[in-house]
Amino acid sequence: MAAGAKLHEDEADTDEALVAALIRAQFPRWARLPVSRVVSAGTDNAMYRLGHDLVVRLPRIPGAAADVAKEHRWLPHLAPQLPLDVPEPLGGGVAGEGFPHPWSVYRWLDGENLFDEPVADLYETGLRGRSQLRHRRGPVAPGTRTRCRGRLRGGGAAGVRTPRHRPAHRPVAPPGCPA
């Protein structure tokens, strides 16, 4: 998205100068760190790098602002339960300096941005992601039950779809499993 382009009618203005002013006013210990916009395909939040290790996340719209408190509450509890790195909230900012919403500072997660290159095949991209998760979690013994009631992992390839058998719609979770 081009800097300054608005995606929503009720979108708040954001730029590097605003982020620097918010940080100076509310988190003076980070005031000397450089600020730069993060190019993102996200539509609800604008993100800015703060130094090398931090990122500032500003809700663009009122509806996204409601998520700030939820993220600060739940991300620290969910992170140890998940197989992927989860953003760590380091600071919660409040409306100020002309910005109307609460906002956050998180630890920056290094990695590749999925949107840096066009994704030609979402199905294949999903399979690669699933494979990376398996490697990260480690091997699973055949017949091991997951937390999803009655579902087995590691017990053969029956029912696994290959690219030529792609579903035309989003797969539905088995009965008893969260969607």
Side-chain angles (χ1 to χ4, degrees):
M1 181 187 84
K6 290 214 176 194
L7 300 172
H8 307 279
E9 188 175 301
D10 57 349
E11 183 172 333
D13 292 321
T14 67
D15 60 20
E16 288 89 348
L18 170 68
V19 173
L22 287 166
I23 293 295
R24 273 193 310 275
Q26 299 183 36
F27 299 101
R29 67 184 175 273
W30 296 322
R32 293 182 185 250
L33 297 176
V35 175
S36 60
R37 179 182 284 277
V38 174
V39 176
S40 169
T43 63
D44 287 350
N45 295 281
M47 297 194 337
Y48 295 83
R49 285 290 295 265
L50 182 59
H52 181 69
D53 298 324
L54 307 174
V55 64
V56 175
R57 194 161 176 239
L58 302 174
R60 295 178 189 271
I61 55 176
D67 295 338
V68 172
K70 290 178 204 171
E71 291 170 358
H72 279 259
R73 176 183 169 136
W74 288 105
L75 288 178
H77 296 290
L78 292 172
Q81 310 299 320
L82 298 174
L84 297 172
D85 291 332
V86 173
E88 177 186 356
L90 300 175
V94 297
E97 307 303 313
F99 186 71
H101 308 300
W103 52 280
S104 300
V105 178
Y106 294 94
R107 185 164 316 284
W108 177 259
L109 297 178
D110 279 327
E112 295 178 25
N113 187 338
L114 179 64
F115 299 103
D116 284 346
E117 294 181 22
V119 176
D121 189 330
L122 289 175
Y123 184 80
E124 289 299 321
T125 301
L127 289 177
R128 281 196 310 274
R130 184 177 72 179
S131 173
Q132 290 171 357
L133 280 175
R134 280 195 184 129
H135 290 296
R136 192 173 171 130
R137 287 189 238 174
V140 176
T144 300
R145 293 197 182 274
T146 64
R147 291 183 193 160
C148 182
R149 290 180 242 150
R151 210 161 153 200
L152 299 176
R153 283 186 57 207
V160 173
R161 293 179 186 257
T162 61
R164 65 187 158 175
H165 297 110
R166 281 185 207 143
H169 65 298
R170 185 176 169 190
V172 177
C177 294

mmCIF file of all heavy atoms in Angstrom, residues 136-178:
data_model
loop_
_atom_site.group_PDB
_atom_site.id
_atom_site.type_symbol
_atom_site.label_atom_id
_atom_site.label_comp_id
_atom_site.label_asym_id
_atom_site.label_seq_id
_atom_site.Cartn_x
_atom_site.Cartn_y
_atom_site.Cartn_z
ATOM 1 N N ARG A 136 8.833 -28.013 13.163
ATOM 2 C CA ARG A 136 9.055 -27.215 14.364
ATOM 3 C C ARG A 136 8.592 -27.953 15.625
ATOM 4 O O ARG A 136 9.201 -27.861 16.668
ATOM 5 C CB ARG A 136 8.309 -25.903 14.214
ATOM 6 C CG ARG A 136 8.706 -24.920 15.234
ATOM 7 C CD ARG A 136 8.068 -23.604 14.927
ATOM 8 N NE ARG A 136 8.330 -22.783 16.067
ATOM 9 C CZ ARG A 136 8.817 -21.587 16.018
ATOM 10 N NH1 ARG A 136 9.067 -21.042 14.876
ATOM 11 N NH2 ARG A 136 9.037 -20.914 17.101
ATOM 12 N N ARG A 137 7.484 -28.656 15.520
ATOM 13 C CA ARG A 137 6.935 -29.380 16.667
ATOM 14 C C ARG A 137 7.658 -30.696 16.910
ATOM 15 O O ARG A 137 7.579 -31.244 17.987
ATOM 16 C CB ARG A 137 5.467 -29.697 16.435
ATOM 17 C CG ARG A 137 4.574 -28.514 16.542
ATOM 18 C CD ARG A 137 3.155 -28.981 16.511
ATOM 19 N NE ARG A 137 2.488 -28.324 15.410
ATOM 20 C CZ ARG A 137 1.273 -28.581 15.024
ATOM 21 N NH1 ARG A 137 0.567 -29.495 15.615
ATOM 22 N NH2 ARG A 137 0.729 -27.938 14.028
ATOM 23 N N GLY A 138 8.278 -31.243 15.878
ATOM 24 C CA GLY A 138 8.942 -32.527 16.009
ATOM 25 C C GLY A 138 8.039 -33.646 15.545
ATOM 26 O O GLY A 138 6.854 -33.450 15.269
ATOM 27 N N PRO A 139 8.599 -34.843 15.432
ATOM 28 C CA PRO A 139 7.818 -35.974 14.923
ATOM 29 C C PRO A 139 6.696 -36.360 15.884
ATOM 30 O O PRO A 139 6.787 -36.163 17.087
ATOM 31 C CB PRO A 139 8.849 -37.094 14.804
ATOM 32 C CG PRO A 139 9.953 -36.700 15.713
ATOM 33 C CD PRO A 139 9.959 -35.208 15.795
ATOM 34 N N VAL A 140 5.648 -36.921 15.307
ATOM 35 C CA VAL A 140 4.508 -37.389 16.083
ATOM 36 C C VAL A 140 4.408 -38.890 15.888
ATOM 37 O O VAL A 140 4.458 -39.389 14.769
ATOM 38 C CB VAL A 140 3.210 -36.699 15.609
ATOM 39 C CG1 VAL A 140 2.009 -37.240 16.347
ATOM 40 C CG2 VAL A 140 3.322 -35.205 15.787
ATOM 41 N N ALA A 141 4.275 -39.621 16.977
ATOM 42 C CA ALA A 141 4.150 -41.080 16.889
ATOM 43 C C ALA A 141 2.850 -41.445 16.180
ATOM 44 O O ALA A 141 1.827 -40.787 16.379
ATOM 45 C CB ALA A 141 4.167 -41.682 18.293
ATOM 46 N N PRO A 142 2.867 -42.492 15.328
ATOM 47 C CA PRO A 142 1.636 -42.907 14.652
ATOM 48 C C PRO A 142 0.520 -43.174 15.659
ATOM 49 O O PRO A 142 0.736 -43.759 16.714
ATOM 50 C CB PRO A 142 2.046 -44.199 13.940
ATOM 51 C CG PRO A 142 3.520 -44.065 13.739
ATOM 52 C CD PRO A 142 4.020 -43.300 14.943
ATOM 53 N N GLY A 143 -0.674 -42.702 15.306
ATOM 54 C CA GLY A 143 -1.836 -42.933 16.160
ATOM 55 C C GLY A 143 -1.961 -41.973 17.332
ATOM 56 O O GLY A 143 -2.853 -42.117 18.155
ATOM 57 N N THR A 144 -1.083 -40.971 17.424
ATOM 58 C CA THR A 144 -1.151 -40.013 18.525
ATOM 59 C C THR A 144 -2.419 -39.174 18.389
ATOM 60 O O THR A 144 -2.724 -38.669 17.321
ATOM 61 C CB THR A 144 0.075 -39.070 18.500
ATOM 62 O OG1 THR A 144 1.236 -39.870 18.621
ATOM 63 C CG2 THR A 144 0.008 -38.059 19.632
ATOM 64 N N ARG A 145 -3.170 -39.046 19.464
ATOM 65 C CA ARG A 145 -4.377 -38.226 19.437
ATOM 66 C C ARG A 145 -4.006 -36.769 19.653
ATOM 67 O O ARG A 145 -3.189 -36.450 20.492
ATOM 68 C CB ARG A 145 -5.356 -38.666 20.514
ATOM 69 C CG ARG A 145 -5.921 -40.032 20.254
ATOM 70 C CD ARG A 145 -7.174 -40.275 21.095
ATOM 71 N NE ARG A 145 -7.661 -41.602 20.844
ATOM 72 C CZ ARG A 145 -8.474 -41.906 19.843
ATOM 73 N NH1 ARG A 145 -8.869 -40.972 19.025
ATOM 74 N NH2 ARG A 145 -8.886 -43.129 19.647
ATOM 75 N N THR A 146 -4.645 -35.913 18.877
ATOM 76 C CA THR A 146 -4.428 -34.480 19.055
ATOM 77 C C THR A 146 -5.457 -33.980 20.062
ATOM 78 O O THR A 146 -6.309 -34.735 20.538
ATOM 79 C CB THR A 146 -4.610 -33.733 17.724
ATOM 80 O OG1 THR A 146 -5.964 -33.872 17.314
ATOM 81 C CG2 THR A 146 -3.667 -34.254 16.662
ATOM 82 N N ARG A 147 -5.413 -32.689 20.337
ATOM 83 C CA ARG A 147 -6.388 -32.105 21.259
ATOM 84 C C ARG A 147 -7.783 -32.080 20.651
ATOM 85 O O ARG A 147 -8.758 -31.939 21.343
ATOM 86 C CB ARG A 147 -5.979 -30.693 21.617
ATOM 87 C CG ARG A 147 -4.748 -30.674 22.459
ATOM 88 C CD ARG A 147 -4.413 -29.268 22.849
ATOM 89 N NE ARG A 147 -3.066 -29.262 23.380
ATOM 90 C CZ ARG A 147 -2.313 -28.227 23.482
ATOM 91 N NH1 ARG A 147 -2.753 -27.065 23.087
ATOM 92 N NH2 ARG A 147 -1.109 -28.303 23.980
ATOM 93 N N CYS A 148 -7.849 -32.165 19.337
ATOM 94 C CA CYS A 148 -9.138 -32.198 18.661
ATOM 95 C C CYS A 148 -9.698 -33.599 18.827
ATOM 96 O O CYS A 148 -9.115 -34.572 18.393
ATOM 97 C CB CYS A 148 -8.944 -31.846 17.187
ATOM 98 S SG CYS A 148 -10.466 -31.814 16.283
ATOM 99 N N ARG A 149 -10.821 -33.730 19.474
ATOM 100 C CA ARG A 149 -11.382 -35.022 19.884
ATOM 101 C C ARG A 149 -11.329 -36.106 18.815
ATOM 102 O O ARG A 149 -11.910 -35.971 17.760
ATOM 103 C CB ARG A 149 -12.834 -34.831 20.296
ATOM 104 C CG ARG A 149 -12.974 -34.078 21.569
ATOM 105 C CD ARG A 149 -14.430 -33.947 21.899
ATOM 106 N NE ARG A 149 -14.709 -32.524 21.897
ATOM 107 C CZ ARG A 149 -15.856 -32.001 21.589
ATOM 108 N NH1 ARG A 149 -16.869 -32.741 21.251
ATOM 109 N NH2 ARG A 149 -16.027 -30.716 21.619
ATOM 110 N N GLY A 150 -10.626 -37.175 19.116
ATOM 111 C CA GLY A 150 -10.651 -38.362 18.297
ATOM 112 C C GLY A 150 -9.841 -38.312 17.017
ATOM 113 O O GLY A 150 -9.744 -39.299 16.321
ATOM 114 N N ARG A 151 -9.270 -37.198 16.682
ATOM 115 C CA ARG A 151 -8.531 -37.092 15.437
ATOM 116 C C ARG A 151 -7.126 -37.637 15.629
ATOM 117 O O ARG A 151 -6.478 -37.369 16.628
ATOM 118 C CB ARG A 151 -8.456 -35.620 15.042
ATOM 119 C CG ARG A 151 -8.383 -35.428 13.584
ATOM 120 C CD ARG A 151 -8.776 -34.006 13.272
ATOM 121 N NE ARG A 151 -8.117 -33.661 12.035
ATOM 122 C CZ ARG A 151 -7.916 -32.449 11.642
ATOM 123 N NH1 ARG A 151 -8.288 -31.448 12.381
ATOM 124 N NH2 ARG A 151 -7.334 -32.217 10.504
ATOM 125 N N LEU A 152 -6.644 -38.404 14.677
ATOM 126 C CA LEU A 152 -5.321 -39.009 14.784
ATOM 127 C C LEU A 152 -4.333 -38.270 13.901
ATOM 128 O O LEU A 152 -4.666 -37.823 12.816
ATOM 129 C CB LEU A 152 -5.364 -40.488 14.372
ATOM 130 C CG LEU A 152 -6.274 -41.368 15.210
ATOM 131 C CD1 LEU A 152 -6.291 -42.777 14.633
ATOM 132 C CD2 LEU A 152 -5.791 -41.406 16.646
ATOM 133 N N ARG A 153 -3.082 -38.169 14.376
ATOM 134 C CA ARG A 153 -1.998 -37.604 13.575
ATOM 135 C C ARG A 153 -0.950 -38.668 13.359
ATOM 136 O O ARG A 153 -0.702 -39.480 14.223
ATOM 137 C CB ARG A 153 -1.335 -36.435 14.310
ATOM 138 C CG ARG A 153 -2.133 -35.188 14.272
ATOM 139 C CD ARG A 153 -1.380 -34.036 14.876
ATOM 140 N NE ARG A 153 -0.104 -33.830 14.195
ATOM 141 C CZ ARG A 153 0.950 -33.279 14.773
ATOM 142 N NH1 ARG A 153 0.901 -32.900 16.014
ATOM 143 N NH2 ARG A 153 2.055 -33.109 14.116
ATOM 144 N N GLY A 154 -0.288 -38.616 12.221
ATOM 145 C CA GLY A 154 0.859 -39.472 11.983
ATOM 146 C C GLY A 154 0.515 -40.890 11.609
ATOM 147 O O GLY A 154 1.384 -41.743 11.603
ATOM 148 N N GLY A 155 -0.722 -41.193 11.288
ATOM 149 C CA GLY A 155 -1.109 -42.567 11.017
ATOM 150 C C GLY A 155 -1.352 -42.863 9.556
ATOM 151 O O GLY A 155 -2.320 -43.501 9.213
ATOM 152 N N GLY A 156 -0.507 -42.434 8.653
ATOM 153 C CA GLY A 156 -0.681 -42.759 7.246
ATOM 154 C C GLY A 156 -1.299 -41.615 6.480
ATOM 155 O O GLY A 156 -1.718 -40.617 7.049
ATOM 156 N N ALA A 157 -1.367 -41.780 5.174
ATOM 157 C CA ALA A 157 -1.784 -40.694 4.303
ATOM 158 C C ALA A 157 -3.229 -40.811 3.830
ATOM 159 O O ALA A 157 -3.636 -40.092 2.934
ATOM 160 C CB ALA A 157 -0.849 -40.630 3.099
ATOM 161 N N ALA A 158 -3.991 -41.707 4.374
ATOM 162 C CA ALA A 158 -5.379 -41.853 3.932
ATOM 163 C C ALA A 158 -6.119 -40.540 4.126
ATOM 164 O O ALA A 158 -6.046 -39.922 5.173
ATOM 165 C CB ALA A 158 -6.063 -42.963 4.725
ATOM 166 N N GLY A 159 -6.792 -40.111 3.105
ATOM 167 C CA GLY A 159 -7.589 -38.882 3.214
ATOM 168 C C GLY A 159 -6.810 -37.620 2.937
ATOM 169 O O GLY A 159 -7.382 -36.544 2.915
ATOM 170 N N VAL A 160 -5.497 -37.718 2.706
ATOM 171 C CA VAL A 160 -4.712 -36.525 2.413
ATOM 172 C C VAL A 160 -4.960 -36.130 0.968
ATOM 173 O O VAL A 160 -4.877 -36.962 0.068
ATOM 174 C CB VAL A 160 -3.199 -36.779 2.643
ATOM 175 C CG1 VAL A 160 -2.386 -35.591 2.178
ATOM 176 C CG2 VAL A 160 -2.947 -37.072 4.103
ATOM 177 N N ARG A 161 -5.263 -34.891 0.727
ATOM 178 C CA ARG A 161 -5.543 -34.426 -0.626
ATOM 179 C C ARG A 161 -4.245 -33.993 -1.298
ATOM 180 O O ARG A 161 -3.447 -33.309 -0.706
ATOM 181 C CB ARG A 161 -6.505 -33.249 -0.602
ATOM 182 C CG ARG A 161 -7.867 -33.634 -0.120
ATOM 183 C CD ARG A 161 -8.749 -32.402 -0.097
ATOM 184 N NE ARG A 161 -10.011 -32.701 0.497
ATOM 185 C CZ ARG A 161 -11.121 -32.874 -0.215
ATOM 186 N NH1 ARG A 161 -11.109 -32.773 -1.499
ATOM 187 N NH2 ARG A 161 -12.238 -33.148 0.403
ATOM 188 N N THR A 162 -4.084 -34.390 -2.514
ATOM 189 C CA THR A 162 -2.945 -33.937 -3.302
ATOM 190 C C THR A 162 -3.394 -32.750 -4.126
ATOM 191 O O THR A 162 -4.596 -32.504 -4.254
ATOM 192 C CB THR A 162 -2.443 -35.070 -4.218
ATOM 193 O OG1 THR A 162 -3.500 -35.421 -5.102
ATOM 194 C CG2 THR A 162 -1.993 -36.269 -3.419
ATOM 195 N N PRO A 163 -2.456 -31.996 -4.710
ATOM 196 C CA PRO A 163 -2.860 -30.806 -5.461
ATOM 197 C C PRO A 163 -3.902 -31.074 -6.542
ATOM 198 O O PRO A 163 -4.743 -30.242 -6.792
ATOM 199 C CB PRO A 163 -1.539 -30.316 -6.069
ATOM 200 C CG PRO A 163 -0.510 -30.764 -5.082
ATOM 201 C CD PRO A 163 -1.016 -32.090 -4.563
ATOM 202 N N ARG A 164 -3.913 -32.245 -7.177
ATOM 203 C CA ARG A 164 -4.918 -32.489 -8.221
ATOM 204 C C ARG A 164 -6.299 -32.744 -7.634
ATOM 205 O O ARG A 164 -7.274 -32.792 -8.355
ATOM 206 C CB ARG A 164 -4.489 -33.638 -9.104
ATOM 207 C CG ARG A 164 -4.430 -34.934 -8.374
ATOM 208 C CD ARG A 164 -3.861 -36.030 -9.178
ATOM 209 N NE ARG A 164 -3.420 -36.982 -8.169
ATOM 210 C CZ ARG A 164 -2.937 -38.134 -8.396
ATOM 211 N NH1 ARG A 164 -2.766 -38.532 -9.608
ATOM 212 N NH2 ARG A 164 -2.591 -38.921 -7.429
ATOM 213 N N HIS A 165 -6.396 -32.936 -6.317
ATOM 214 C CA HIS A 165 -7.685 -33.151 -5.648
ATOM 215 C C HIS A 165 -8.048 -31.982 -4.752
ATOM 216 O O HIS A 165 -8.663 -32.151 -3.725
ATOM 217 C CB HIS A 165 -7.644 -34.424 -4.784
ATOM 218 C CG HIS A 165 -7.433 -35.663 -5.585
ATOM 219 N ND1 HIS A 165 -6.271 -36.372 -5.524
ATOM 220 C CD2 HIS A 165 -8.239 -36.297 -6.468
ATOM 221 C CE1 HIS A 165 -6.356 -37.418 -6.332
ATOM 222 N NE2 HIS A 165 -7.536 -37.388 -6.921
ATOM 223 N N ARG A 166 -7.630 -30.786 -5.131
ATOM 224 C CA ARG A 166 -7.884 -29.603 -4.305
ATOM 225 C C ARG A 166 -9.369 -29.381 -4.096
ATOM 226 O O ARG A 166 -10.150 -29.482 -5.038
ATOM 227 C CB ARG A 166 -7.339 -28.368 -4.980
ATOM 228 C CG ARG A 166 -5.897 -28.240 -4.802
ATOM 229 C CD ARG A 166 -5.440 -26.944 -5.374
ATOM 230 N NE ARG A 166 -4.067 -27.220 -5.739
ATOM 231 C CZ ARG A 166 -3.472 -26.773 -6.780
ATOM 232 N NH1 ARG A 166 -4.090 -25.967 -7.587
ATOM 233 N NH2 ARG A 166 -2.248 -27.099 -7.036
ATOM 234 N N PRO A 167 -9.738 -29.028 -2.888
ATOM 235 C CA PRO A 167 -11.145 -28.687 -2.670
ATOM 236 C C PRO A 167 -11.474 -27.367 -3.366
ATOM 237 O O PRO A 167 -10.636 -26.489 -3.438
ATOM 238 C CB PRO A 167 -11.247 -28.539 -1.148
ATOM 239 C CG PRO A 167 -9.857 -28.282 -0.688
ATOM 240 C CD PRO A 167 -8.935 -28.939 -1.686
ATOM 241 N N ALA A 168 -12.679 -27.258 -3.875
ATOM 242 C CA ALA A 168 -13.102 -26.033 -4.544
ATOM 243 C C ALA A 168 -13.506 -24.974 -3.525
ATOM 244 O O ALA A 168 -13.677 -23.825 -3.862
ATOM 245 C CB ALA A 168 -14.267 -26.333 -5.477
ATOM 246 N N HIS A 169 -13.666 -25.359 -2.289
ATOM 247 C CA HIS A 169 -14.058 -24.439 -1.224
ATOM 248 C C HIS A 169 -13.185 -24.713 -0.010
ATOM 249 O O HIS A 169 -12.405 -25.648 0.003
ATOM 250 C CB HIS A 169 -15.535 -24.628 -0.887
ATOM 251 C CG HIS A 169 -15.815 -25.987 -0.303
ATOM 252 N ND1 HIS A 169 -15.592 -27.161 -0.998
ATOM 253 C CD2 HIS A 169 -16.273 -26.357 0.915
ATOM 254 C CE1 HIS A 169 -15.905 -28.193 -0.216
ATOM 255 N NE2 HIS A 169 -16.322 -27.737 0.930
ATOM 256 N N ARG A 170 -13.320 -23.896 0.984
ATOM 257 C CA ARG A 170 -12.554 -24.074 2.212
ATOM 258 C C ARG A 170 -12.991 -25.366 2.907
ATOM 259 O O ARG A 170 -14.175 -25.577 3.140
ATOM 260 C CB ARG A 170 -12.797 -22.890 3.137
ATOM 261 C CG ARG A 170 -11.968 -22.945 4.365
ATOM 262 C CD ARG A 170 -12.181 -21.710 5.190
ATOM 263 N NE ARG A 170 -11.564 -21.937 6.478
ATOM 264 C CZ ARG A 170 -11.705 -21.168 7.498
ATOM 265 N NH1 ARG A 170 -12.409 -20.075 7.403
ATOM 266 N NH2 ARG A 170 -11.126 -21.453 8.636
ATOM 267 N N PRO A 171 -12.038 -26.234 3.279
ATOM 268 C CA PRO A 171 -12.409 -27.475 3.953
ATOM 269 C C PRO A 171 -13.112 -27.187 5.280
ATOM 270 O O PRO A 171 -12.821 -26.215 5.945
ATOM 271 C CB PRO A 171 -11.069 -28.172 4.203
ATOM 272 C CG PRO A 171 -10.097 -27.486 3.298
ATOM 273 C CD PRO A 171 -10.614 -26.117 3.050
ATOM 274 N N VAL A 172 -14.013 -28.048 5.637
ATOM 275 C CA VAL A 172 -14.751 -27.935 6.886
ATOM 276 C C VAL A 172 -14.067 -28.834 7.920
ATOM 277 O O VAL A 172 -13.649 -29.958 7.603
ATOM 278 C CB VAL A 172 -16.217 -28.359 6.699
ATOM 279 C CG1 VAL A 172 -16.965 -28.327 7.997
ATOM 280 C CG2 VAL A 172 -16.879 -27.479 5.656
ATOM 281 N N ALA A 173 -13.931 -28.347 9.134
ATOM 282 C CA ALA A 173 -13.296 -29.140 10.196
ATOM 283 C C ALA A 173 -14.152 -30.366 10.499
ATOM 284 O O ALA A 173 -15.384 -30.313 10.433
ATOM 285 C CB ALA A 173 -13.137 -28.288 11.444
ATOM 286 N N PRO A 174 -13.501 -31.482 10.863
ATOM 287 C CA PRO A 174 -14.267 -32.668 11.241
ATOM 288 C C PRO A 174 -15.142 -32.393 12.464
ATOM 289 O O PRO A 174 -14.866 -31.486 13.237
ATOM 290 C CB PRO A 174 -13.175 -33.683 11.607
ATOM 291 C CG PRO A 174 -11.929 -33.171 10.971
ATOM 292 C CD PRO A 174 -12.067 -31.690 10.899
ATOM 293 N N PRO A 175 -16.197 -33.196 12.646
ATOM 294 C CA PRO A 175 -17.080 -32.984 13.798
ATOM 295 C C PRO A 175 -16.270 -33.002 15.103
ATOM 296 O O PRO A 175 -15.366 -33.812 15.266
ATOM 297 C CB PRO A 175 -18.040 -34.168 13.743
ATOM 298 C CG PRO A 175 -18.002 -34.633 12.326
ATOM 299 C CD PRO A 175 -16.621 -34.319 11.815
ATOM 300 N N GLY A 176 -16.583 -32.096 15.995
ATOM 301 C CA GLY A 176 -15.916 -32.031 17.290
ATOM 302 C C GLY A 176 -14.651 -31.209 17.284
ATOM 303 O O GLY A 176 -14.038 -31.007 18.317
ATOM 304 N N CYS A 177 -14.222 -30.708 16.127
ATOM 305 C CA CYS A 177 -13.007 -29.915 16.016
ATOM 306 C C CYS A 177 -13.371 -28.464 15.788
ATOM 307 O O CYS A 177 -14.323 -28.182 15.075
ATOM 308 C CB CYS A 177 -12.141 -30.407 14.868
ATOM 309 S SG CYS A 177 -11.503 -32.057 15.137
ATOM 310 N N PRO A 178 -12.586 -27.559 16.342
ATOM 311 C CA PRO A 178 -12.858 -26.153 16.080
ATOM 312 C C PRO A 178 -12.629 -25.839 14.609
ATOM 313 O O PRO A 178 -11.766 -26.416 13.981
ATOM 314 C CB PRO A 178 -11.866 -25.408 16.977
ATOM 315 C CG PRO A 178 -10.830 -26.407 17.336
ATOM 316 C CD PRO A 178 -11.455 -27.772 17.227
#
